[in-house]
């Protein structure tokens, strides 16, 4: 059994490890076009901000460690074609420029996503960057030398995490966002407002409703961002306006894409073409609350899809049952989290949703260092079926979102949450935790 994997980060490496664990006799080969494998891309902003010591710290397993476990790792090898009929791929060795073909019994496409780069950003001006992988991070690090003012285009979670990193490095930061709010559409307006206020409280200049038209430069280096509201001076520009799934190989192989534009897979991570699997950010997944296919490229999903694909490619039987749209990010002293649907999302889907907002403290008010926490709980009117939750509060406190996520997986209702036996002691929560209060009010 020859298992060939394209892409060596979260999904690809999880699949490689699981496949070998399931069938130690299988030959598993990973082709990665870059020079890094098996690392936590989620940690990239924290290396730039100085919270994590260096890039190497993000690496879970080095190529040497993977090879010692029996995984064939080919770095600097880009897969340029798939011939599903002949069950072989074409591989370009970037160092030598040589192209070869490689046979497979099972093929996994774990190719991730790419940053969306609008025309105005397609420039060879120095100081213009995206952040997707370690080399991107290293390039930003290099550009930081001598930089004083950074302009982040895009107010999504990566832009927000980077804003904090650059403020920690002493830079002046301006964030440009086309929409009238930051934090994408992942939170309802009130909760996005809290995120924006925290950015501004920490010195990030947030400009909303601004469209970028171009970049200005001098002597080969960026000097500013031209917008419909004037010129924003900057000596470093980050483009963080979204991502698109890397589906070129899937298309070449005749694999069906979903309505989201990402690869369509079944619960076994099989694509529409026999012998070809897909996992990770390049795939869509089932949203268990809406029963619709969605494209939500996040780390746990990628790792989990990879594991499932690995087991199945090696002859086992595993299923990926879907997601409930859980996400979390840090913004200076706060955290923001969501799971399920926001009120706005539920309404857009035509659901009869009701939400309740509760503001309290993360633990008993009489115990020191109690901090504010804000929770919105959303449920279906009439049935009480839980639809989602949003939380903004001090960092650790918002992991409460996981309680609601677990209930959403089981299609729980408000009553289930209200009756859940949550942990209580004054340093950790109030006796009636903010989630229980919200469930009680909504029930
Ligand atoms: P990727 O990590 O994108 O890996 C795909 C690999 O495939 C790449 O190395 C690429 O070079 C390789 N490849 C592509 N095409 C080819 C080819 N033709 N031939 C050979 N190799 C190829 N998620 C969270 O859940 N929480 C977070 O806090 C979070 N923070 C993030 C912060 C940042 C800055 C970024 C960039 C991502 C963050 N994510 C976060 C998302 C998370 O990192 C991804 O979901 C995860 O890395 C996806 O793994 P993957 O293996 O599917 O794809």
């Amino acid at each position: 059994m020859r298992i060939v994997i394209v892409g060596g980060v979260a999904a690809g490496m999880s699949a490689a490890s699981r496949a070998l664990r399931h069938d130690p006799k299988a030959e598993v080969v990973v082709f990665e076009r870059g020079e890094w494998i098996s690392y936590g891309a989620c940690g990239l902003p924290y290396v730039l901000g100085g919270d994590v010591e260096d890039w190497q710290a993000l690496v879970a397993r080095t190529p040497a460690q993977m090879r010692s476990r029996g995984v064939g790792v080919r770095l600097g090898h880009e897969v340029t074609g798939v011939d599903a009929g002949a069950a072989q791929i074409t591989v370009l060795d970037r160092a030598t420029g040589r192209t070869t073909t490689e046979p497979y019994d099972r093929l996994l496409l774990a190719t991730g996503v790419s940053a969306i780069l609008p025309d105005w950003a397609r420039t060879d001006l120095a100081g213009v960057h995206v952040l997707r992988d370690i080399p991107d991070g290293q390039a930003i690090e290099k550009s930081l030398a001598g930089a004083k003012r950074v302009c982040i285009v895009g107010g999504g979670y990566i832009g927000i995490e980077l804003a904090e990193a650059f403020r920690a490095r002493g830079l002046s930061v301006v964030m440009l966002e086309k929409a009238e709010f930051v934090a994408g559409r992942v939170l309802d307006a009130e909760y996005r407002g809290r995120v924006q206020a925290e950015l501004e409280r920490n010195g990030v200049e947030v400009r909303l409703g601004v469209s970028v038209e171009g970049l200005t430069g001098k002597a080969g280096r960026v000097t500013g961002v031209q917008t419909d509201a004037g010129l924003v001076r900057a000596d470093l520009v980050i483009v963080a306006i979204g991502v698109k799934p890397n589906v070129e190989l899937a298309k070449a192989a005749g694999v069906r894409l979903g309505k989201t534009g990402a690869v369509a897979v079944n619960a076994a991570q099989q694509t529409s073409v026999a012998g070809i699997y897909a996992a990770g950010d390049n795939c869509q997944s089932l949203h268990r609350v809406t029963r619709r296919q969605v494209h939500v490229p996040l780390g746990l999903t990628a790792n989990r899809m990879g594991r499932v694909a690995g087991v199945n490619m090696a002859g086992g039987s595993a299923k990926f049952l879907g997601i409930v749209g859980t996400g979390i990010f840090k913004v200076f002293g706060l955290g923001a989290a969501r799971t399920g649907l926001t009120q706005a999302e539920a309404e857009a889907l035509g659901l009869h949703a009701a939400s309740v907002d509760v503001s309290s403290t993360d633990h008993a008010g009489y115990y020191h260092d109690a901090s504010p926490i804000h929770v919105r709980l959303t449920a279906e009117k009439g049935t009480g079926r839980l639809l989602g939750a949003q939380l903004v509060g001090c960092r650790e406190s918002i992991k409460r979102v996981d309680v609601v996520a677990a209930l959403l997986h089981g299609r729980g209702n408000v009553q289930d949450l209200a009756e859940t036996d949550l942990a209580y002691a004054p340093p950790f929560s109030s006796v009636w935790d903010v989630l229980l209060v919200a469930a009680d009010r909504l029930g």
Side-chain angles (χ1 to χ4, degrees):
M1 170 65 69
R2 187 169 206 251
I3 296 173
V4 167
I5 296 174
V6 190
V9 189
M13 279 309 172
S14 297
S17 299
R18 274 298 149 128
L20 266 187
R21 194 191 290 188
H22 195 82
D23 178 4
K25 291 205 189 83
E27 184 193 357
V28 178
V29 189
V30 177
F31 292 93
E32 168 53 56
R33 66 183 172 194
E35 297 298 328
W36 295 81
I37 58 157
S38 186
Y39 64 89
C42 313
L44 296 170
Y46 304 108
V47 180
L48 286 168
D51 291 304
V52 176
E53 207 176 319
D54 57 24
W55 307 105
Q56 199 62 42
L58 302 182
V59 174
R61 307 245 184 286
T62 63
Q65 284 170 329
M66 288 310 292
R67 286 179 187 127
S68 72
R69 290 166 170 228
V71 177
V73 178
R74 312 264 183 92
L75 299 177
H77 282 68
E78 179 164 7
V79 178
T80 53
V82 180
D83 181 343
Q88 63 183 29
I89 57 170
T90 313
V91 184
L92 169 72
D93 178 343
R94 289 176 133 187
T96 63
R98 253 188 67 219
T99 296
T100 51
T101 55
E102 296 274 347
Y104 64 80
D105 295 306
R106 299 281 181 275
L107 175 67
L108 176 69
L109 303 175
T111 50
V113 292
S114 295
I116 292 174
L117 266 190
D119 286 343
W120 56 257
R122 288 176 214 278
T123 155
D124 42 19
L125 285 174
V128 183
H129 298 274
V130 299
L131 180 61
R132 287 306 316 165
D133 54 23
I134 290 181
D136 290 341
Q138 291 173 321
I140 294 173
E141 178 86 66
K142 235 171 143 189
S143 277
L144 276 171
K148 292 196 168 57
R149 185 170 157 87
V150 56
C151 178
I152 299 173
V153 183
Y157 81 90
I158 290 180
I160 290 170
E161 290 174 353
L162 277 175
E164 183 177 348
F166 293 137
R167 289 296 293 143
R169 300 279 295 247
L171 270 80
S172 126
V173 179
V174 52
M175 177 178 281
L176 303 182
E177 170 55 60
K178 200 172 183 174
E180 293 298 336
F181 42 78
V182 294
R185 291 171 203 285
V186 300
L187 300 170
D188 282 329
E190 296 82 339
Y191 291 75
R192 295 193 295 250
R194 293 185 196 283
V195 171
Q196 182 181 338
E198 183 68 1
L199 285 168
E200 289 171 338
R201 213 172 58 77
N202 286 280
V204 178
E205 187 186 333
V206 180
R207 299 196 195 170
L208 302 174
V210 173
S211 268
V212 175
E213 294 170 342
L215 300 172
T216 57
K218 195 174 169 192
R221 168 112 198 176
V222 72
T223 54
V225 179
Q226 189 64 54
T227 77
D228 58 357
L231 180 70
V232 178
R233 202 175 43 75
D235 37 27
L236 181 61
V237 173
I238 305 291
V239 184
I241 60 168
V243 295
K244 56 178 188 329
N246 293 328
V247 292
E248 296 76 13
L249 288 180
K251 278 189 191 163
V255 161
R256 191 172 75 76
L257 303 184
K259 278 192 188 145
T260 64
V263 178
V265 284
N266 63 15
Q269 298 300 136
Q270 287 167 312
T271 69
S272 58
V273 174
I276 303 185
Y277 292 69
D281 279 5
N282 55 333
C283 295
Q284 56 182 25
S285 43
L286 173 73
H287 195 298
R288 288 167 63 98
V289 176
T290 63
R291 310 306 293 174
R292 290 172 184 230
Q293 292 291 330
V294 290
H295 181 228
V296 183
L298 287 176
L300 175 60
T301 305
N303 279 282
R304 194 172 261 156
M305 284 179 167
R307 281 184 172 199
V308 168
V311 169
N312 292 329
M313 289 190 298
S317 171
K319 277 185 178 173
F320 177 64
L321 297 177
I323 63 166
V324 293
T326 311
I328 190 165
F329 59 91
K330 179 174 179 292
V331 44
F332 295 93
L334 286 185
R338 55 82 46 86
T339 189
L341 302 173
T342 62
Q343 174 73 28
E345 287 167 349
E347 284 169 7
L349 288 165
L351 293 165
H352 296 290
S355 291
V356 69
D357 292 300
V358 177
S359 293
S360 180
T361 50
D362 65 324
H363 57 259
Y366 57 77
Y367 189 85
H368 58 80
D369 296 332
S371 319
I373 180 167
H374 310 277
V375 173
R376 169 168 288 189
L377 192 65
T378 304
E380 192 172 48
K381 284 183 196 161
T383 66
R385 177 166 74 104
L386 276 174
L387 293 177
Q390 298 160 72
L391 293 92
V392 172
C394 70
R395 192 141 63 91
E396 292 76 12
S397 69
I398 59 160
K399 275 294 272 176
R400 281 168 169 85
V401 73
D402 292 339
V403 173
V404 182
L407 283 161
L408 288 175
H409 272 270
R411 289 182 85 75
N413 61 31
V414 176
Q415 200 57 29
D416 295 322
L417 176 56
E419 289 170 0
T420 300
D421 181 19
L422 298 184
Y424 161 64
F428 300 102
S429 80
S430 302
V431 62
W432 289 104
D433 186 77
V434 64
L435 282 183
L436 298 178
V437 176
D440 189 47
R441 289 203 195 149
L442 198 56

